[in-house]
Amino acid sequence: MKISFYGGGGIQLASYRMHIENLNRHFRKLGHTTTIGGDPNNHDVLIYDKRTNKFPNRNKVIGIITPPCDDARVLQLVDFIIVGSIEEKCSMMKHNKNVFVFPQIELMYRNMPRKIHHRIPDDEPLVIGYHGNQNHLNHGGCGLTRALERLSKERKIKFVFLCQNDAEWVEGRPDEGVETEFKKWKYETCTKEIQKFDIGVVPNISEIEHSNKLKPSIKLGKYNTDMKIRFKNKSNIGRSLVLFNLGIPVVADITPCNMHILADPDNGYAVFNEHSWYWALKELCCEKRRNEVAENAYNEANRLYDPEKWAKSLYASIGRVV
């Protein structure tokens, strides 16, 4: 089975790095014949990036990587879909039964020196950091913002966000009591910048409601303590994996993909409101706890997210379609 990948964006684009360049590398390391941008006529399987919506070589097996979920025509037109999480897989199976998961594993952060955490002097800030799409910062109203404000009244902290731009963070900014710093994400420097974090945060949930607003019914098993949460169908564990690999302890919300590792409290903190965000951050003010959590999460992430094992499984799944 010969496979060729097609897509633009280059190394600066995460989806290109993980699902085209790196996946091609994994397949080749496993001994398979794959390439990027090869002659379609000389390959059995053609895999396109998510921006593609036309597929002229219909005599070949066609795959697409993380396409928009609401474009049913494209989802039904291709033979299989590669996605980054179970959440994304479930959202697409209405239109195509062949949806295969390859997690958002970034090779550039694997096997890098891990941070060793030391006591932070009282006159220096604890650095709480975020990296990724700046739009997720608008979800701080689900607890992170207030937690930062509470913690800032007890000790010196700084919130650093490593993103493409600052302008799209329009909601949920903490008050002036929290020092914030924007750093532009760059491929060449992002690893070094993330390793400056003492704690990494991964907000993703955009809304939380409790059932007292949703007509609870004990007869139907719906209670006042129930929660209704909202998150993107493309939610994935990628941002957390970066932090795990670099030795940064993680506080992330209870988006399902995060729970694969954070369901074990010794690996980090899964949170959903102001109080759980606050107590997680407060516990991680201790350097001993930061080192313990970072070590546990690193070991578990590398056990569960070995890219070659996932690539082997993916290749077998594609082979069944062919």
Side-chain angles (χ1 to χ4, degrees):
M1 181 171 68
K2 295 181 179 180
I3 298 175
S4 186
F5 294 88
Y6 305 92
I11 200 71
Q12 296 284 342
L13 190 65
S15 61
Y16 178 88
R17 289 195 305 273
M18 289 180 282
H19 285 130
I20 295 183
E21 182 176 277
N22 291 347
L23 190 49
N24 177 63
R25 185 184 304 178
H26 298 318
F27 282 163
R28 292 173 71 89
K29 191 172 182 180
L30 290 168
H32 305 308
T33 303
T34 69
T35 189
I36 298 174
D39 182 350
N41 295 316
N42 296 332
H43 293 83
D44 309 300
V45 179
L46 313 179
I47 302 177
Y48 294 89
D49 76 4
K50 60 186 176 183
R51 293 170 294 182
T52 308
N53 57 25
K54 295 180 181 179
F55 309 96
N57 302 94
R58 292 307 304 158
N59 59 325
K60 305 291 184 176
V61 173
I62 303 294
I64 191 168
I65 299 164
T66 64
C69 181
D70 51 4
D71 192 343
R73 184 191 67 85
V74 168
L75 302 184
Q76 294 167 359
L77 193 59
V78 298
D79 298 296
F80 66 91
I81 303 167
I82 298 173
V83 297
S85 67
I86 291 295
E87 293 93 318
E88 191 173 10
K89 174 179 178 176
C90 291
S91 72
M92 296 188 181
M93 293 197 73
K94 175 181 178 180
H95 304 293
N96 194 314
K97 67 176 183 178
N98 296 317
V99 184
F100 310 133
V101 176
F102 185 82
Q104 310 278 49
I105 304 171
E106 284 267 38
L107 281 184
M108 62 187 282
Y109 300 108
R110 288 177 62 84
N111 302 316
M112 297 294 291
R114 279 179 288 151
K115 179 167 184 168
I116 303 300
H117 296 267
H118 302 286
R119 183 183 178 278
I120 300 169
D122 293 339
D123 60 343
E124 294 183 13
L126 175 83
V127 178
I128 300 171
Y130 170 85
H131 76 97
N133 189 314
Q134 55 276 356
N135 288 329
H136 292 291
L137 293 173
N138 293 311
H139 306 164
C142 291
L144 174 59
T145 302
R146 287 285 298 125
L148 291 171
E149 292 169 351
R150 284 175 64 181
L151 189 62
S152 71
K153 293 178 173 61
E154 302 172 13
R155 63 161 300 142
K156 189 169 184 170
I157 67 172
K158 179 165 71 170
F159 185 73
V160 176
F161 53 109
L162 187 63
C163 305
Q164 287 293 339
N165 65 68
D166 180 19
E168 293 183 29
W169 187 5
V170 296
E171 291 185 4
R173 283 182 178 262
D175 63 28
E176 294 179 356
V178 180
E179 180 185 357
T180 62
E181 181 179 0
F182 164 67
K183 293 188 176 181
K184 187 171 179 60
W185 190 97
K186 296 180 181 178
Y187 176 78
E188 297 78 13
T189 59
C190 58
T191 299
K192 181 179 178 181
E193 295 296 346
I194 293 171
Q195 286 177 322
K196 295 177 183 178
F197 297 172
D198 297 306
I199 303 170
V201 296
V202 187
N204 187 64
I205 291 171
S206 56
E207 291 178 11
I208 300 174
E209 287 188 78
H210 293 277
S211 67
N212 56 3
K213 298 180 181 179
L214 303 171
K215 297 182 180 179
S217 168
I218 294 177
K219 182 178 181 180
L220 297 177
K222 299 178 181 180
Y223 303 95
N224 287 325
T225 51
D226 293 347
M227 297 177 293
K228 178 182 178 182
I229 63 175
R230 177 177 181 173
F231 53 86
K232 289 168 57 179
N233 83 297
K234 289 182 178 291
S235 296
N236 62 78
I237 200 173
R239 286 177 289 149
S240 295
L241 285 180
V242 170
L243 297 163
F244 295 148
N245 275 296
L246 295 179
I248 311 299
V250 171
V251 184
D253 66 34
I254 57 172
T255 302
C257 53
N258 289 325
M259 304 309 295
H260 197 193
I261 290 179
L262 296 183
D264 183 343
D266 287 335
N267 296 335
Y269 296 81
V271 298
F272 85 100
N273 60 14
E274 172 192 336
H275 309 290
S276 49
W277 274 107
Y278 168 75
W279 286 109
L281 295 173
K282 189 172 178 65
E283 286 190 24
L284 288 172
C285 289
C286 171
E287 68 277 8
K288 180 180 179 181
R289 182 59 178 161
R290 292 200 300 277
N291 281 313
E292 290 173 347
V293 165
E295 175 74 13
N296 292 337
Y298 174 84
N299 291 333
E300 193 69 351
N302 280 274
R303 181 180 74 85
L304 294 171
Y305 290 92
D306 180 336
E308 289 187 21
K309 289 183 179 179
W310 283 90
K312 183 177 180 180
S313 175
L314 175 60
Y315 187 87
S317 295
I318 295 171
R320 288 191 287 271
V321 177
V322 176

